[in-house]
Amino acid sequence: MCRVKAVLAVLLLCLSAAAGAHRFHTGITELAFNPRTGSTEIVHTYMAHDIEALLMNTYGRQFDLTDPEDQAVLRKYVETQFVLKGADKARLPVRWVGMTADSQSVVIYQELENAPLSKTVTVRQGVLIDFLPDQLNTVNFNNLGTIRSLTFSQSSLEQPAHTTIQ
């Protein structure tokens, strides 16, 4: 009986540690102009378990992000939550390039073809913020080595990019 109690105590301790291990929710988006292609490359990185929880909560099933059909569901979500706008306030045509996923992270690749960073006037970065109220997303703008950042939260989903790009 003591052995069972000890095992249960250790199990409870491990579960408590695991629950407390992930106390923050964050995403990083990198926008970088590639002078060779003339396009702006976009790379998003999120914690895999946050993306999995979002999809499970939204659709009520497990997702396999190596499956193209399941990737299409995530793509549709990201394309509604991450938006770049031009000077005319119209949505810029961000193209989905692909994604990778492992047990730690989900990395999404997009591209704004034949457009420098300066074409982006406004950024909306709400990925996971609608699901996790304490989610913070950082967008880094890399303009030929000069890096500037914006932080997005529930109270600031859309921000002007001109303060970061010269």
Side-chain angles (χ1 to χ4, degrees), residues 49-60:
H49 56 273
D50 289 343
I51 294 290
E52 291 166 1
L54 165 79
L55 294 171
M56 172 62 96
N57 185 316
T58 304
Y59 298 98

Side-chain angles (χ1 to χ4, degrees), residues 59-131:
Y59 298 98
R61 70 174 179 88
Q62 291 281 22
F63 277 72
D64 175 2
L65 292 177
T66 63
D67 181 330
E69 288 182 18
D70 286 354
Q71 287 182 7
V73 172
L74 180 60
R75 174 183 177 174
K76 183 177 177 182
Y77 170 78
V78 170
E79 288 176 344
T80 63
Q81 296 297 327
F82 178 77
V83 177
L84 302 179
K85 295 180 184 177
D88 60 357
K89 299 186 182 186
R91 183 183 193 125
L92 295 174
V94 174
R95 183 176 71 85
W96 183 270
V97 176
M99 63 166 286
T100 60
D102 60 31
S103 63
Q104 299 297 311
S105 62
V106 173
V107 181
I108 298 164
Y109 305 94
Q110 296 179 303
E111 182 178 43
L112 184 56
E113 294 179 296
N114 302 312
L117 277 173
S118 60
K119 291 285 185 189
T120 301
V121 174
T122 305
V123 179
R124 182 188 194 287
Q125 176 39 310
V127 175
L128 290 169
I129 292 174
D130 58 331
F131 176 64

Side-chain angles (χ1 to χ4, degrees), residues 38-52:
S39 296
T40 296
E41 298 170 350
I42 305 161
V43 179
H44 308 270
T45 305
Y46 304 100
M47 293 181 189
H49 56 273
D50 289 343
I51 294 290
E52 291 166 1

Side-chain angles (χ1 to χ4, degrees), residues 1 14 36 48 53 57 76 96 114 122 138-139 142 144 149 163:
M1 186 66 158
C14 289
R36 186 179 55 76
N57 185 316
K76 183 177 177 182
W96 183 270
N114 302 312
T122 305
T138 299
V139 175
N142 183 343
L144 303 173
S149 300
T163 58

